[in-house]
Amino acid sequence: MKIRTNFPLQTLNSLNVSAVTDEIYFPCSVKELSEITRDKTNKAYILGEGTNTLFCQANAPLIIKPSLKGIEVSESEEYFHVSAACAESWHDFVLFCTNEGMYGLESLALIPGSVGAAPVQNIGAYGKEVGDFIERVTWFDFTQQKLVEFTKADCQFGYRNSVFKQLLNGKGVITHVHFLLPKVWQAVDSYQGLSDLTPPVTPQAIMAKVIQLRQAKLPTPKVLPNAGSFFKNPIVSQAIFQLLQQQYPTMPSYQQGNGEVKLAAGWMIEQAGLKGFRQNGVGVHEHQALVIINYDRKGGEDIVAFSRFVQEQVMNKFNIALVPEVRFITQHTELDNVNAGEQ
Ligand SMILES: Cc1cc2nc3c(=O)[nH]c(=O)nc-3n(C[C@H](O)[C@H](O)[C@H](O)COP(=O)(O)OP(=O)(O)OC[C@H]3O[C@@H](n4cnc5c(N)ncnc54)[C@H](O)[C@@H]3O)c2cc1C
């Protein structure tokens, strides 16, 4: 297995912060994963493509970067069963499925990152979440030193959430994700931006539109280092929403099935006067207020400080606590997302 010491991580995270790890492992198979000893796995951070990861300090923890590759397809009467190894690129995988006539994932095109990380925060966009298409997940468990299969129900998918982000965080590696793509495809094109497609709407047309919209809206990390949406959209009770709505009648809101209401974090950041605001080489993107840009390639501490400032401004205006979607990784631990600004 490839192992490196004193390894720089700046090109392995999309916020482009500089950080160094003492040791990094690149296991290419389950056998190689099983060769990493418990004293190492106990303190390791699992790194995919680093597009949702903030290294908060100059020193990063020991890193395991799973490098398993491969895609397999089989079919039953109603479904395509597609299995992909964790180190496959998510967008390339969506392209592969769509080009091979296996549809469903097209709304999730151009989300950066690896296949293995996709279930962790149940990636989503344009009204779809990856959990909608997952049949099961294969997991290498560090304690048991063996593979375990998780059904979709076991994965406990929620909004940007899953069991892998909660109970199982740091306890193993997703080696393969198994997708169930129905042979009868139904367009979900009512989502904002997709509703003006000319019928008949095809998966290819949805994918092309999603790519076009994302390219127009979201900054490319290689040019403007960022980690996509920095904060989650807050979900509040109906009572809190009504109080906010009295004060801010134009506030965007999305009713949830359980009676709660999802608010738009980007809108709140904009209303707090921070769209385009920069401080100390870090800033809020000029067109997309939910994205924090590391303009001057600053260190992780500066990004943490800036995100804390954004949280404070939104708290002062709306009395709402923004929770980072991005994972905050220090040398020895992961910061609690709810209080991620506190160190
Ligand atoms: C420009 C931009 C746009 C984005 N748009 C979206 C969007 O529309 N929707 C959305 O949901 N997200 C979006 N994101 C966030 C990001 O793309 C996703 O979170 C993606 O799944 C991260 O993949 P990664 O491989 O880079 O994960 P990393 O940042 O490397 O890791 C993320 C988490 O997954 C864990 N992990 C990674 N691989 C494994 C594995 N094999 N086994 C177990 N745990 C693992 C890590 O430990 C960490 O906790 C965007 C990011 C950027 C930069």
Side-chain angles (χ1 to χ4, degrees):
M1 167 174 30
K2 184 168 134 190
I3 304 171
R4 295 285 180 271
T5 52
N6 278 328
F7 193 85
L9 297 168
Q10 190 160 15
T11 57
L12 297 188
N13 73 91
S14 63
L15 276 161
N16 208 224
V17 301
S18 68
V20 175
T21 177
D22 286 347
E23 265 181 299
I24 181 166
Y25 291 71
F26 297 89
C28 288
S29 63
V30 173
K31 181 174 172 295
E32 288 190 345
L33 263 174
S34 70
E35 286 164 12
I36 308 174
T37 52
R38 280 304 302 280
D39 60 317
K40 305 289 184 192
T41 58
N42 276 344
K43 54 185 180 188
Y45 178 68
I46 314 302
L47 183 65
E49 294 185 15
T51 64
N52 203 30
T53 295
L54 169 59
F55 292 114
C56 301
Q57 300 168 331
N59 293 313
L62 184 150
I63 302 283
I64 297 176
K65 186 164 169 52
S67 305
L68 291 78
K69 292 281 203 145
I71 298 176
E72 283 178 20
V73 181
S74 63
E75 55 185 293
S76 55
E77 202 175 320
E78 290 178 46
Y79 294 99
F80 293 107
H81 303 260
V82 193
S83 299
C86 58
E88 293 291 338
S89 138
W90 173 257
H91 177 62
D92 289 351
F93 176 65
V94 173
L95 285 180
F96 167 82
C97 291
T98 311
N99 291 339
E100 294 293 319
M102 301 180 292
Y103 305 132
L105 302 177
E106 51 285 338
S107 307
L108 304 176
L110 218 62
I111 297 182
S114 58
V115 165
V120 175
Q121 73 150 0
N122 187 19
I123 56 169
Y126 296 98
K128 288 283 183 189
E129 288 180 334
V130 73
D132 300 339
F133 302 97
I134 289 179
E135 184 175 26
R136 68 199 159 84
V137 167
T138 306
W139 163 264
F140 180 79
D141 191 273
F142 290 147
T143 311
Q144 302 180 63
Q145 285 285 297
K146 66 169 195 181
L147 293 177
V148 183
E149 298 296 332
F150 283 79
T151 63
K152 178 179 176 164
D154 295 332
C155 294
Q156 297 172 24
F157 289 123
Y159 166 60
R160 299 294 178 272
N161 212 351
S162 74
V163 72
F164 309 108
K165 192 168 171 182
Q166 301 295 335
L167 199 65
L168 296 177
N169 186 15
K171 299 203 164 70
V173 167
I174 292 170
T175 61
H176 295 84
V177 185
H178 310 276
F179 296 86
L180 198 60
L181 304 177
K183 287 184 174 174
V184 177
W185 177 80
Q186 260 191 319
V188 178
D189 53 3
S190 55
Y191 206 80
Q192 200 185 10
L194 300 182
S195 48
D196 58 349
L197 285 169
T198 321
V201 177
T202 63
Q204 288 79 3
I206 291 189
M207 190 167 78
K209 185 73 183 180
V210 165
I211 291 175
Q212 185 199 351
L213 288 168
R214 291 186 69 98
Q215 282 175 335
K217 249 175 43 179
L218 288 167
T220 311
K222 285 221 159 64
V223 183
L224 293 173
N226 75 86
S229 302
F230 199 92
F231 300 101
K232 296 207 269 191
N233 287 319
I235 297 179
V236 298
S237 67
Q238 195 64 240
I240 290 181
F241 171 62
Q242 277 168 9
L243 285 175
L244 284 165
Q245 207 187 24
Q246 280 170 14
Q247 221 179 335
Y248 305 100
T250 60
M251 177 175 230
S253 61
Y254 311 91
Q255 291 292 331
Q256 304 296 286
N258 60 1
E260 292 181 320
V261 184
K262 193 193 274 181
L263 307 177
W267 184 86
M268 290 195 274
I269 294 168
E270 188 175 346
Q271 295 302 307
L274 295 177
K275 196 174 186 180
F277 175 77
R278 289 192 200 191
Q279 197 172 52
N280 186 29
V282 185
V284 171
H285 189 243
E286 288 165 10
H287 305 304
Q288 185 49 265
L290 202 43
V291 177
I292 289 182
I293 309 278
N294 186 9
Y295 286 103
D296 290 353
R297 273 65 173 174
K298 304 295 283 196
E301 284 99 343
D302 295 314
I303 314 279
V304 173
F306 186 81
S307 70
R308 180 120 177 81
F309 173 74
V310 173
Q311 285 174 311
E312 275 167 11
Q313 298 303 305
V314 169
M315 174 55 84
N316 291 345
K317 190 166 174 71
F318 296 99
N319 201 24
I320 294 282
L322 289 185
V323 175
E325 183 181 306
V326 175
R327 315 295 291 263
F328 281 45
I329 307 302
T330 67
Q331 186 179 10
H332 299 296
T333 185
E334 172 166 2
L335 297 185
D336 171 8
N337 260 7
V338 178
N339 305 302
E342 315 279 359
Q343 284 204 70

